[in-house]
Amino acid sequence: MSEVVALEFLDYVIGISSIAIILLTVNKAGPLYRWVGLSFLVLAVISYITVAPVDEPFLSLFGSLAGLLALLFLLPCMSVVIAIGRYDQALGNMISNGPRPTATTFYKRTSLVTYMLTLFLNVATIPVVVSAVSSKIKSLGKEKIQQFFSHSLLRAYAFVLLWSPTEILVAASIDITGQSYLTLLPTLFVISILFMSVDWYLHSKRYKGVHIEALEAGEGIGQKQLAKKLRQMALAITVFILLVLLFNSFGTQTFLFTVTILIVPFTFGWALFLKRGKRFRTLAFSRVKGNARQMHGLFFLFLSAGFFVEVFPYTGVFDQLQTMLHHMYENYTVLLFYAIIGFFIFGLALIGFHPLISIALITPFLGDVVAAYPYGVSVLLIGAGLCTIMIGPLNVTPTVLAMQLNVNPYAIIKRNIPFALTFLTFIILVAYGFSVLLG
């Protein structure tokens, strides 16, 4: 809002609203979100009292991560239009349709359906796919079932979000570097498909000769109907990307802001195309309202962290870190600098930090390198942030999957750490390569 109308009082409205939400959600947040959020909040208050940034009004220090929450708040509209169009049912049937496929084929189908549904359902993809698949792979045993889902779901989920315009890490990283989404899209898409192929190859070796149960031939959705659904989904994501690029070319609003304001009219237009506009309005209101209740932890964590991120640059610790990183950037290779950033995000994810918060913390130190290598830094931030989806206990996706399988989140994420490290290393090398070529 403040990006469209540059009026100072709007910053105060956002600040007052943020403080009210923090107070209202602190007791409703889960234990992990509450303690991490309180840690940020206490550090921010102490830092503010100590340094008291006189050039910034107190109420203007709460809005840095509010835009991200707005996008998360509205994302259920995507899942509504997928549900009323029955795209999730069609893709769910595609997984198990056919006579006794090999485990390799079943893994690829599960991974592919997760990849496609995530573009629209986001985290809601996880329960949809688990419910469609779990009864078919009971013969694999408990350990292999956990491995099957942690690999096929979390990896595909991360790969597709690497280039998705509705992914908040993509939007936030683009706003940090100022790089065009259109120029990043080919690189991100190629990396996505490359690692999807690598994952499939690895599991073709792992599941070689293993068969599982499936639906009898002829059951499920027809091929023509499935092809129609796939064409509609492909058209929808193409139109959405074009709309985002078109609207983002006007004015000075951020990429994140453009994506956020387009979600509701785009999904409503899609529902009208399906002739289910009334059903969409009813379900969308219900889902968004329910989503708000489920986001208490994220609201408290992100708004508290946003306050800390705004105050942190005024502290002495920030000055010392900036001096150290500037020395490293000036005197050592950019590859080392990228490695430090990437493993900083990865390491904090392992101990519970959401990648958005890690990126927000590191952003003030990136001024020089962003100015010199905006493309490389964009690839680095997006790739490093999204690889943590496979291994971050504070990421919603592993938590939802763990709840579906009735296991501890760490039992899920530990199975992806070696692969995620490989992915991160590749991202760092690609980012460095583009920096050398384009620098």
Side-chain angles (χ1 to χ4, degrees):
M1 188 183 296
S2 59
E3 295 176 49
V4 176
V5 186
L7 297 175
E8 189 174 306
F9 82 92
L10 290 177
D11 286 332
Y12 288 96
V13 171
I14 292 172
I16 292 170
S17 301
S18 298
I19 293 171
I21 292 171
I22 288 173
L23 294 175
L24 289 171
T25 56
V26 60
N27 290 324
K28 298 178 181 179
L32 186 58
Y33 287 100
R34 184 186 302 123
W35 288 112
V36 176
L38 282 173
S39 299
F40 278 119
L41 193 60
V42 170
L43 287 173
V45 171
I46 293 173
S47 299
Y48 182 82
I49 293 173
T50 305
V51 298
V54 294
D55 56 333
E56 292 289 342
F58 176 74
L59 291 175
S60 69
L61 298 173
F62 287 86
S64 61
L65 296 180
L68 304 176
L69 290 170
L71 178 56
L72 286 172
F73 181 72
L74 294 174
L75 275 179
C77 291
M78 283 287 190
S79 66
V80 169
V81 78
I82 289 294
I84 63 176
R86 298 180 180 176
Y87 298 98
D88 51 345
Q89 294 179 19
L91 293 175
N93 285 335
M94 187 182 82
I95 295 176
S96 53
N97 196 23
R100 285 179 57 79
T102 64
T104 299
T105 302
F106 207 74
Y107 181 90
K108 290 178 180 179
R109 289 180 184 177
T110 304
S111 178
L112 181 61
V113 168
T114 301
Y115 191 94
M116 291 188 291
L117 279 179
T118 299
L119 280 170
F120 304 97
L121 295 187
N122 207 283
V123 72
T125 300
I126 303 302
V128 169
V129 176
V130 170
S131 63
V133 173
S134 57
S135 62
K136 311 299 177 186
I137 58 174
K138 289 180 179 179
S139 59
L140 293 180
K142 183 178 179 180
E143 285 296 315
K144 287 188 176 181
I145 287 174
Q146 291 178 18
Q147 183 185 73
F148 182 94
F149 282 124
S150 67
H151 289 185
S152 62
L153 270 65
L154 296 185
R155 293 180 185 183
Y157 189 95
F159 297 152
V160 69
L161 292 184
L162 194 66
W163 59 269
S164 171
T166 60
E167 168 52 35
I168 52 177
L169 277 166
V170 174
S173 299
I174 287 173
D175 288 340
I176 289 168
T177 64
Q179 191 65 43
S180 166
Y181 173 75
L182 189 60
T183 60
L184 287 167
L185 180 58
T187 299
L188 299 174
F189 185 75
V190 168
I191 294 173
S192 172
I193 297 301
L194 173 63
F195 268 83
M196 190 85 159
S197 302
V198 169
D199 183 51
W200 284 7
Y201 173 77
L202 293 174
H203 286 85
S204 69
K205 299 294 184 182
R206 183 187 300 273
Y207 293 130
K208 187 176 182 179
V210 179
H211 287 76
I212 53 179
E213 298 176 3
L215 293 175
E216 294 298 324
E219 292 187 33
I221 190 170
Q223 291 301 312
K224 289 185 178 180
Q225 185 69 8
L226 177 61
K228 179 182 177 182
K229 297 289 186 184
L230 292 177
R231 285 195 300 270
Q232 288 179 354
M233 292 177 71
L235 177 63
I237 193 62
T238 302
V239 170
F240 185 71
I241 289 174
L242 291 175
L243 285 173
V244 169
L245 293 173
L246 177 64
F247 278 85
N248 200 54
S249 65
F250 300 115
T252 59
Q253 71 273 9
T254 64
F255 185 82
L256 174 65
F257 182 76
T258 303
V259 172
T260 303
I261 63 169
L262 282 178
I263 281 183
V264 173
F266 169 75
T267 50
F268 182 62
W270 190 359
L272 290 177
F273 170 76
L274 298 173
K275 299 180 180 180
R276 288 182 168 86
K278 185 177 180 180
R279 180 65 173 161
F280 174 85
R281 289 194 299 269
T282 303
L283 282 178
F285 178 78
S286 175
R287 293 273 181 93
V288 170
K289 185 178 179 181
N291 188 47
R293 287 195 294 266
Q294 295 173 2
M295 286 179 63
H296 290 144
L298 285 176
F299 272 111
F300 179 68
L301 173 62
F302 276 52
L303 291 175
S304 299
F307 181 31
F308 176 76
V309 166
E310 290 290 331
V311 176
F312 182 55
Y314 295 93
T315 64
V317 175
F318 174 86
D319 292 335
Q320 294 173 8
L321 288 173
Q322 188 172 45
T323 301
M324 181 186 71
L325 290 173
H326 182 73
H327 173 78
M328 197 167 294
Y329 171 65
E330 291 290 339
N331 295 280
Y332 298 94
T333 174
V334 175
L335 179 60
L336 176 62
F337 191 82
Y338 283 0
I340 291 172
I341 295 171
F343 284 102
F344 171 81
I345 296 170
F346 190 92
L348 287 186
L350 285 174
I351 61 174
F353 277 67
H354 195 282
L356 281 169
I357 295 173
S358 302
I359 290 174
L361 289 173
I362 200 73
T363 296
F365 304 109
L366 301 180
D368 291 340
V369 71
V370 166
Y373 312 113
Y375 197 96
V377 176
S378 299
V379 173
L380 176 67
L381 294 180
I382 293 170
L386 284 168
C387 85
T388 65
I389 284 177
M390 307 179 213
I391 54 91
L394 252 188
N395 267 299
V396 178
T397 319
T399 303
V400 171
L401 179 57
M403 290 172 60
Q404 293 289 314
L405 301 180
N406 295 314
V407 297
N408 188 291
Y410 284 96
I412 298 296
I413 65 175
K414 70 180 182 181
R415 302 174 187 279
N416 277 318
I417 291 177
F419 187 85
L421 280 170
T422 303
F423 181 76
L424 174 62
T425 302
F426 182 82
I427 288 292
I428 291 170
L429 292 174
V430 169
Y432 175 68
F434 275 110
S435 297
V436 171
L437 289 173
L438 303 177

